[in-house]
Amino acid sequence: MERERADLTGAPATMLATLYGRALHSRSADPLLHDPYAEEAVRRIDHDFSKTGVRGNDPLSIALRGSLFDRLAADRIAAHPEVTVLHLGCGLDSRGLRLDLPPSVEWYDVDFPEVIDLRRKLYEQPERHHTIASSVTDPALLDSIPGDRRVLVVAEGLTMYLDPQEGLALLRRITERFPAGELICDVQGELAVRFANVLNSPVRAANAKLRWAIGSGAELVNAVPGLALDEELTFFEVPGLERLPASYRALVRAMGHIPALRRMALILRMHFDG
Ligand SMILES: C[S@@+](CC[C@H](N)C(=O)[O-])C[C@H]1O[C@@H](n2cnc3c(N)ncnc32)[C@H](O)[C@@H]1O
């Protein structure tokens, strides 16, 4: 089998951890998120995945988040099938391949060139699936994407790596370019960003830096004209949490009573109309 090298560092390297987490979870008995693409990619990448910082309950946590994103994305696509999907900071996530997409969907996977290069070597690219090798904050990014249809932006594990001003500018460009749309993203609060080196071993292992702390959906809605908040979920409300071991659940429940900890990680669903 031909193996591909992954000489990544910083934010691009963090996607090796989420990929590995999904692969480990997918191989487990009765997985919540079945991801044969991740399993195969891990086999084909020449990399010591034990050094990604993934440990303990991480594979299940990664799968819980991924499966929620899958469900939210599938639900919004079912509501508006004539849609352009921007899968920003896609890493090696196979979401566009594992969801059963209607043929009316145009799907764009966007990430840094070194990640997209690897992605193109590992994954098939069916019709209406596109990859763009670019920083998501490049002001020219949207020029290559037709702006005449609704958009669904899916950004899992991305916002915290962006410069706050550049991240807001990206959101404003999106709401200006498309006639209407929805956004699904996760964000991390001040504590999670400030103490990432202690709290987040994949971030430490990748030598990445978290830069954008967002403590509520209101922060984004107030800064981006036209954006409205539909749903704000804390990690403590993610479906499937009961699969975590009882001791971990007890810790999670205890953290859920402390407001600053409760809001350390949020999943947001927002929309805008033209
Ligand atoms: C934690 S990984 C998540 C990857 C994928 N969404 C997943 O869940 O497996 C973060 C991803 O964001 C990407 N990323 C961070 N900053 C970016 C930027 N400015 N432009 C494009 N991609 C970026 C990284 O390259 C990496 O693939």
Side-chain angles (χ1 to χ4, degrees):
M1 179 178 58
E2 196 189 332
R3 302 189 81 201
E4 307 294 344
R5 292 191 60 81
D7 298 319
L8 304 171
T9 185
T14 60
M15 65 91 191
L16 294 170
T18 45
L19 176 78
Y20 186 46
R22 278 192 302 278
L24 286 179
H25 177 77
S26 184
R27 279 184 218 150
S28 67
D30 189 25
L32 182 80
L33 178 62
H34 180 51
D35 190 348
Y37 298 94
E39 292 183 51
E40 176 64 12
V42 164
R43 272 194 291 271
R44 285 192 50 201
I45 296 173
D46 185 8
H47 184 78
D48 183 355
F49 281 92
S50 68
K51 296 201 171 128
T52 52
V54 171
R55 57 190 186 197
N57 292 308
D58 291 345
L60 179 55
S61 302
I62 290 166
L64 283 169
R65 185 179 76 174
S67 125
L68 176 62
F69 267 72
D70 277 8
R71 262 190 277 163
L72 293 174
D75 178 60
R76 301 326 301 154
I77 290 169
H80 299 285
E82 300 282 333
V83 71
T84 294
V85 179
L86 305 186
H87 193 210
L88 302 183
C90 59
L92 288 177
D93 191 321
S94 64
R95 176 161 295 120
L97 300 171
R98 61 176 187 258
L99 290 182
D100 189 14
L101 298 178
S104 49
V105 172
E106 295 287 336
W107 185 282
Y108 290 81
D109 283 308
V110 186
D111 209 302
F112 285 123
E114 58 269 42
V115 175
I116 292 297
D117 187 42
L118 191 55
R119 190 177 177 99
R120 287 178 181 152
K121 289 177 185 152
L122 291 168
Y123 293 160
E124 64 190 282
Q125 195 167 305
E127 220 183 319
R128 299 196 183 83
H129 285 238
H130 318 266
T131 45
I132 300 184
S134 163
S135 170
V136 298
T137 57
D138 182 337
L141 170 69
L142 302 182
D143 295 351
S144 59
I145 302 169
D148 54 346
R149 308 207 311 166
R150 279 185 74 88
V151 72
L152 171 65
V153 176
V154 182
E156 182 182 356
L158 171 72
T159 57
M160 52 298 278
Y161 296 101
L162 304 180
D163 167 83
Q165 292 314 317
E166 290 182 355
L168 287 175
L170 165 68
L171 295 181
R172 291 189 194 112
R173 277 194 296 276
I174 289 171
T175 56
E176 282 161 15
R177 174 142 182 96
F178 297 95
E182 294 176 86
L183 293 90
I184 302 166
C185 66
D186 55 334
V187 299
Q188 293 192 1
E190 190 67 40
L191 268 183
V193 168
R194 189 171 315 164
F195 296 108
N197 280 340
V198 184
L199 298 172
N200 194 327
S201 64
V203 166
R204 200 176 49 225
N207 208 9
K209 192 168 164 14
L210 300 193
R211 296 194 285 173
W212 192 6
I214 301 170
S216 70
E219 285 179 31
L220 296 182
V221 164
N222 291 338
V224 180
L227 204 57
L229 186 63
D230 295 317
E231 198 174 2
E232 184 178 80
L233 283 169
T234 66
F235 181 70
F236 310 98
E237 295 161 308
V238 169
L241 226 52
E242 65 282 358
R243 286 184 174 234
L244 289 164
S247 56
Y248 194 83
R249 277 204 317 271
L251 178 69
V252 164
R253 253 199 312 276
M255 286 171 68
H257 292 299
I258 304 169
L261 297 182
R262 187 175 169 77
R263 304 187 70 78
M264 245 175 25
L266 300 172
I267 293 173
L268 308 177
R269 205 163 58 71
M270 297 169 286
H271 79 272
F272 64 95
D273 293 313

